[in-house]
Amino acid sequence: MADVDVLVVGAGPVGLTAAAELRRHGVDCRIVDRLAVPQPHAKAIGVLPRTLEVWDAMGLIHGVLDDAVPHLGQLVFIDGKSGPPVELTLPPEIPYPFSTLPQCSTERLLAEHLARFGTEVERPTELRSVEMRPDEVEAVLAHADGRTERLHARYVVGCDGAHSLVRKAAGLTFEGDAFPEQYMIGDVELDWQLPAGYSMRAVNLDANGAMDDMVVCIPMPGVRRYWLSMLRPRAQAWGEDGSSASDGAVLGLEDGQGPDLLQIQAVLDRLSPEPTTASTLRWSSTYRTNHRLVDRYRNGRLFVAGDAAHIHPPIGGQGLNTGVQDAHNLAWKLALAVRGLATDDVLDSYHAERHPVAQEVVDRTVRHARTVSQARTVGHARSGLSSNGDDAEMLLRRQAQLLVAYPDSPLIQPQAADGTPAAGPAPGDRAPDCRGLLSDLATYPRRLFDLLRTPRHVLLLFAGSEHASGSGAARLEACAAEAHRAAHGLLDAYLVTAAEVPQDARPVGLRPPRVRDAAGEFRDAYAPRDGEAILIRPDGYVSGRFHPAVPERLTAHLRRTFA
C-alpha cells in the first residue's frame, strides 16, 4: 500500500493549486518544497480572467478580489512619443477583468486555502530521487532535521520549476533555446502622475528600428507600487557576446544580482514620459528570456505542470496562469484515478489537452518577443497583442486565456456526432458564466458559476415549453438519473427552464432541482435547444451537448471518463 495517494513537489502557485484541488476532490496528498520559507518577492504578477474563474470554482476568489488590483491597459511611448494605448476591456458578460497580484500574495492565499483542508506545505523538504514502479512511485525526501524518508505514492506531480527533478526522472525532454537579450526587474514605488491602473511601456529604437532600450512598469497592489522590467545595458551583460556564465542564468531569475535604485533610476531618467523618482526597492533581479517545452506531460505515474513543463518569454503574464490551469486540469482526473473510477484515457488526456495549449503559448510569446526586438509594432507585441488584422476582442480573449479549448480531447464528445450548435459553446470550449438564474428557495438571482463551484460534473437540462412538463420533463428527469448513476454519483444535475415557462409548470421538489433562466442570459450564452442536455466537466469545460437528450447517448458519453 502507498503511503500517500499523490505527492506534489514544489509549493509555488502551480503546486499549491494542484494540492488544493486534490484535497477538494477528497484525495490524500502531501506537498513538499525545498525552501524553508516562501519567497517574499513579487516575481510573476499578472492574473488573467480565466485564472480568476478557476479560483472562483476552487472557492478562494474572495481573498484574491480583496488583494488584487485591476490592470486596465497599457500606455505606450516610442522614442518619447505617445502611441495608441492598449485597452484591456472585456465584454460585460466576462465576470473578471485583467488584474495584478504579487506572486508572494498568490502563494499565501493558496496556502491558506490548502490549510482549510488540513494540509500544510512541508518545508524545507527536498526531493532527492524518484523511482517509478508498476504500482507506485518511491520518492526519497530529505528533511530539515537531517532525516531521510522513503515515501511511496501512487502518483507524483512535479511542479518543481525549470530544473525539475521529476521531469528528469520521468525521462522527458525539455527542448528550447534562449534569447540574447538580458533584463533587469525591480519592485519599487514611483511618484509620477500617470493614470492609476495602467501599465507603461517606453521603448527607444535604433536607426534600424530595433529596440535598444526599454522599460515596462506594471501597477501592483499598494500606493504607487510598480513592477519594472528593463532591458539590461550591454555593458552590464554576462558577456559582450551575449553569452551567460552558467546554464542556471538562462533558465530563470538570478536572485541577489539585480539592479539597485540608482540603476533603476537611470533607466527611468532615460525613458519615463515624465520625471519620476523610484524609491522603496523591495526586490530586484536579472533574467534572460528562455523558451522550452516538455515533449510529454506524463510518463506513467509521473506528471509535470507549470515551469517544469513549459517556460517562455514573460509577455502578457501567460506563464503562471498556464501553470495554474495545468494543475486545475490534472487534479480532477487524478482524483478519479485514485478512486479507481477513471478510464485509461482520462490520465492520458492531460497531455492531449494541455500540451497543445503550452505549445501555442510558447509559439505566440516567442513570436511576439522576436517582433518587439526587431520591429516598430512594439507597443502591441509586448503587451501580448498584435495588430495583424485579427479581431480586437478575439485577441483580448486569447490573451485572457478564455479561448483555450479541447475539441480534440479523447474525453470530449465529437462535434460531428451531434451537429455543431449554431451558437454557444461547443464541446471542448470553456463554459461561460451567466446571471439571472432563479431557484425555488432563493429570493436573489444566482450565477451559473455558483452551480459549477463543485468538484463534480454538472449536467444542465434545458426545458422550453415542450419539456417543462409531461413526457418531455420525464425524459429529462430520466437523463439526470441515468447520468448520476453512470458518474458513480459524482454529478450534479439541474433543470434550466426558459424564462417564458410558468413557474408552476413542474411541481416543486422533483429531481433534478430547477433554476429559471429569468434574465435570458443562459439562452444568450449557450443557445440551448428545447430538450437539450449540456454536460460540464469539473474544470469548467463543456464535455458534450446532446439534443435530444437521451439517457443512452448521455451515459455512453460518460463512459469516456468513468470506468
Side-chain angles (χ1 to χ4, degrees):
M1 295 291 292
D3 301 315
V4 69
D5 289 329
V6 182
L7 171 66
V8 178
V9 183
V14 179
L16 289 166
T17 297
E21 277 297 270
L22 287 167
R23 296 295 292 118
R24 189 169 73 102
H25 284 268
V27 173
D28 178 30
C29 79
R30 289 173 61 180
I31 177 170
V32 299
D33 195 279
R34 63 181 179 83
L35 298 178
V37 294
Q39 291 188 343
H41 306 316
K43 290 194 174 181
I45 63 170
V47 179
L48 301 180
R50 178 56 189 160
T51 299
L52 291 175
E53 292 184 350
V54 168
W55 288 340
D56 186 339
M58 291 172 58
L60 75 150
I61 188 63
H62 296 298
V64 176
L65 296 181
D66 288 344
D67 287 7
V69 294
H71 187 192
L72 304 177
Q74 186 175 90
L75 307 176
V76 179
F77 298 86
I78 302 175
D79 290 334
K81 299 178 181 178
S82 177
V86 177
E87 298 291 344
L88 298 177
T89 304
L90 290 162
E93 65 269 18
I94 305 298
Y96 301 110
F98 291 85
S99 60
T100 65
L101 183 68
Q103 182 172 327
C104 52
S105 297
T106 297
E107 292 179 2
R108 174 181 55 79
L109 290 168
L110 284 166
E112 291 172 354
H113 179 66
L114 175 61
R116 297 186 188 106
F117 297 101
T119 299
E120 303 278 351
V121 178
E122 301 176 37
R123 298 178 182 275
T125 301
E126 183 176 2
L127 178 69
R128 290 289 177 83
S129 67
V130 180
E131 182 182 349
M132 186 164 55
R133 298 172 180 172
D135 297 324
E136 65 178 17
V137 179
E138 181 180 272
V140 177
L141 303 176
H143 294 276
D145 58 4
R147 178 173 51 93
T148 298
E149 176 186 6
R150 292 187 179 274
L151 174 72
H152 297 89
R154 297 178 66 180
Y155 301 98
V156 173
V157 181
C159 307
D160 45 345
H163 297 287
S164 170
L165 178 60
V166 176
R167 184 187 65 240
K168 295 171 184 175
L172 308 179
T173 64
F174 202 42
E175 300 297 331
D177 203 352
F179 286 92
E181 293 86 7
Q182 301 164 31
Y183 294 88
M184 309 181 296
I185 56 178
D187 177 355
V188 300
E189 294 177 9
L190 301 177
D191 63 354
W192 60 23
Q193 300 302 314
L194 294 182
Y198 281 81
S199 57
M200 188 281 294
R201 176 174 177 78
V203 175
N204 284 348
L205 306 177
D206 62 20
N208 297 318
M211 179 180 68
D212 66 359
D213 206 357
M214 178 277 291
V215 63
V216 174
C217 308
I218 302 175
M220 290 194 293
V223 179
R224 296 178 176 178
R225 184 181 176 188
Y226 286 82
W227 186 91
L228 274 60
S229 175
M230 301 151 282
L231 190 64
R232 193 176 190 183
R234 182 172 294 276
Q236 301 173 14
W238 291 298
E240 288 297 326
D241 60 353
S243 62
S244 61
S246 67
D247 180 65
V250 304
L251 287 176
L253 302 174
E254 295 183 287
D255 292 326
Q257 300 184 30
D260 58 25
L261 266 178
L262 289 177
Q263 292 170 306
I264 293 173
Q265 187 63 53
V267 175
L268 292 169
D269 289 344
R270 294 195 306 269
L271 293 169
S272 176
E274 66 177 54
T276 186
T277 300
S279 62
T280 318
L281 177 62
R282 293 175 173 85
W283 173 71
S284 69
S285 188
T286 58
Y287 71 94
R288 185 177 179 184
T289 301
N290 194 279
H291 57 94
R292 295 180 186 274
L293 179 62
V294 74
D295 60 331
R296 289 174 293 159
Y297 269 50
R298 175 198 184 195
N299 183 10
R301 295 179 176 272
L302 302 180
F303 300 82
V304 290
D307 286 354
H310 47 77
I311 54 176
H312 44 79
I315 295 173
Q318 300 288 298
L320 179 151
N321 296 270
T322 302
V324 165
Q325 291 169 60
D326 288 342
H328 193 230
N329 180 285
L330 176 61
W332 69 270
K333 299 171 182 179
L334 273 178
L336 290 181
V338 164
R339 295 183 181 185
L341 301 179
T343 66
D344 292 338
D345 286 339
V346 169
L347 293 182
D348 285 338
S349 75
Y350 174 56
H351 169 83
E353 294 178 358
R354 295 304 300 173
H355 188 272
V357 173
Q359 182 75 68
E360 190 277 332
V361 170
V362 170
D363 290 347
R364 173 159 46 94
T365 54
V366 166
R367 184 171 62 252
H368 288 155
R370 287 172 176 159
T371 298
V372 73
S373 65
Q374 299 172 2
R376 294 181 178 273
T377 56
V378 65
H380 291 288
R382 284 300 287 193
S383 65
L385 305 176
S386 62
S387 52
N388 59 2
D390 290 341
D391 178 79
E393 182 179 320
M394 294 300 287
L395 287 170
L396 267 183
R397 286 177 180 265
R398 181 179 297 111
Q399 177 71 7
Q401 297 196 349
L402 298 172
L403 298 184
V404 171
Y406 311 127
D408 300 322
S409 168
L411 305 186
I412 296 299
Q413 171 209 31
Q415 296 185 30
D418 194 39
T420 303
D429 287 352
R430 157 189 166 269
D433 194 16
C434 59
R435 296 158 293 188
L437 300 177
L438 298 180
S439 59
D440 293 326
L441 289 179
T443 60
Y444 54 86
R446 303 170 71 185
R447 298 165 53 204
L448 180 60
F449 276 11
D450 293 335
L451 309 184
L452 301 185
R453 201 174 294 115
T454 171
R456 296 177 288 275
H457 281 67
V458 173
L459 181 65
L460 304 174
L461 301 151
F462 186 72
S465 56
E466 295 182 8
H467 288 79
S469 60
S471 60
R475 181 162 54 81
L476 295 183
E477 292 163 7
C479 280
E482 290 298 322
H484 191 265
R485 280 191 285 270
H488 303 279
L490 300 176
L491 179 144
D492 296 332
Y494 295 91
L495 184 71
V496 183
T497 59
E500 64 272 13
V501 172
Q503 286 186 299
D504 60 356
R506 177 176 179 265
V508 175
L510 295 182
R511 306 299 295 179
R514 67 180 178 185
V515 291
R516 184 166 172 260
D517 183 25
E521 289 196 16
F522 180 78
R523 174 170 278 170
D524 292 342
Y526 285 81
R529 293 162 287 186
D530 195 354
E532 182 174 12
I534 301 173
L535 182 65
I536 300 176
R537 306 185 331 179
D539 58 352
Y541 284 85
V542 177
S543 180
R545 300 187 64 153
F546 307 89
H547 183 264
V550 177
E552 293 75 15
R553 295 181 62 202
L554 187 56
T555 55
H557 172 71
L558 283 166
R559 282 193 285 270
R560 291 175 178 268
T561 298
F562 293 94

